């Protein structure tokens, strides 16, 4: 009876061991399948990360290209605007130079005509109207006269044609304007030709 019991226990143990072995095999297979699934998922993640990095690199390159292209367009626009401005200024300077000759001639005519002669009254009025109209037109184009009579001599705006001693007048004062100067948009295009006062020579009192 004891032998049968031992045999029965042995059979049960064998059966149990087989069940445990099968269970361990199933668990191990599940682990392997899970590991394979995880590996596949990780590979997909790696592929997606690489694709994302490549896309980000492409976007960065395209962004740099767009920025460079925009900067180049801005530079071209700025250079074009500068060229147009230079051309406009040159055209105005040329126009002003032509008109200033006419202004000078009208001023000389008014200075030299005999204003006391009644016969010249109509001529004087006509010259005056033409002269004032021309000055008004020049002012519309920001062309203004430099007339420094009785002002301190400024070498940046005036050209001294001669110097003369004048009693009661401080040295370096403009005592006569032989030809007015002109500015265009605040920039000198012709200096005023002037006569300037000078100091009297020092008197030697040692004798």
């Amino acid at each position: 009876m004891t032998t049968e019991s031992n045999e029965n226990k042995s059979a049960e143990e064998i059966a149990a061991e087989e069940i445990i072995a099968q269970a361990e095999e199933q668990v191990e297979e599940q682990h392997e399948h899970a590991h394979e699934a995880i590996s596949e998922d990780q590979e997909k993640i790696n592929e997606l990360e690489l694709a994302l990095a490549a896309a980000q690199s492409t976007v960065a390159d395209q962004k740099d290209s767009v920025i460079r292209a925009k900067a180049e367009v801005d530079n071209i626009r700025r250079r074009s605007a500068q060229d147009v401005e230079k051309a406009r200024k040159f055209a105005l300077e040329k126009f002003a130079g032509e008109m200033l000759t006419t202004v000078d001639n009208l001023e000389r005519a008014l200075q030299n005509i005999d204003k006391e002669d009644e016969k010249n009254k109509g001529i004087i009025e006509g010259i005056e109207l033409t002269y004032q109209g021309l000055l008004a037109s020049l002012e519309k184009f920001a062309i203004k006269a430099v007339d420094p009579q009785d002002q301190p001599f400024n070498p940046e705006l005036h050209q001294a044609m001669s110097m003369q001693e004048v009693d009661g007048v401080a040295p370096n004062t403009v005592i006569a304007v032989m030809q007015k100067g002109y500015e265009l948009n605040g920039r000198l295009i012709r200096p005023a030709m002037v006569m300037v006062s000078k100091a009297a020579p020092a008197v030697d009192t040692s004798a």
Side-chain angles (χ1 to χ4, degrees):
M1 189 170 182
T2 304
T3 304
E4 291 178 358
S5 176
N6 290 336
E7 288 178 356
N8 290 337
K9 286 182 180 179
S10 296
E12 290 175 356
E13 288 175 356
I14 292 171
E17 288 176 356
E18 290 178 354
I19 292 171
I20 291 171
Q22 291 176 357
E24 288 177 347
E25 288 179 2
Q26 291 177 355
V27 169
E28 187 175 349
E29 288 179 359
Q30 290 176 354
H31 282 169
E32 289 179 357
H33 289 313
H35 181 70
E36 290 176 358
I38 291 172
S39 297
E40 291 177 359
D41 291 343
Q42 187 61 46
E43 287 179 2
K44 290 180 180 179
I45 291 171
N46 292 340
E47 290 176 0
L48 291 173
E49 287 179 344
L50 289 173
L52 176 60
Q56 288 174 336
S57 177
T58 301
V59 170
D61 292 341
Q62 290 177 346
K63 184 178 180 181
D64 289 341
S65 298
V66 170
I67 291 173
R68 286 194 296 270
K70 184 179 182 299
E72 183 63 24
V73 170
D74 291 341
N75 288 335
I76 292 172
R77 285 177 178 170
R78 184 166 56 253
R79 287 195 296 269
S80 298
Q82 290 173 349
D83 291 342
V84 170
E85 182 65 15
K86 287 179 182 178
R88 187 182 71 84
K89 285 183 176 180
F90 176 76
L92 280 176
E93 285 186 15
K94 190 173 181 180
F95 162 77
E98 295 293 331
M99 293 300 99
L100 293 184
T101 301
T102 304
V103 171
D104 294 339
N105 291 334
L106 291 173
E107 288 178 346
R108 291 191 191 97
L110 289 172
Q111 290 170 358
N112 296 326
I113 195 168
D114 185 1
K115 296 180 176 62
E116 301 298 326
D117 191 341
E118 287 293 325
K119 295 179 182 178
N120 294 332
K121 185 176 180 180
I123 297 174
I124 293 172
E125 288 180 355
I127 295 174
E128 280 281 2
L129 287 173
T130 304
Y131 176 65
Q132 294 301 328
L134 184 54
L135 289 181
S137 297
L138 292 175
E139 286 186 3
K140 289 180 181 179
F141 290 91
I143 301 169
K144 295 184 179 180
V146 177
D147 188 3
Q149 181 69 42
D150 299 326
Q151 295 177 10
F153 174 73
N154 183 349
E156 294 183 357
L157 299 175
H158 314 148
Q159 181 177 348
M161 305 304 293
S162 64
M163 299 187 74
Q164 182 177 333
E165 294 178 33
V166 180
D167 292 336
V169 177
N172 292 321
T173 299
V174 176
I175 56 177
V177 178
M178 288 170 274
Q179 187 181 69
K180 293 178 183 177
Y182 284 87
E183 292 178 329
L184 171 59
N185 291 314
R187 185 165 60 90
L188 187 70
I189 58 174
R190 190 180 84 178
M193 296 182 181
V194 299
M195 182 184 294
V196 184
S197 62
K198 65 179 180 178
V203 179
D204 188 358
T205 58
S206 61

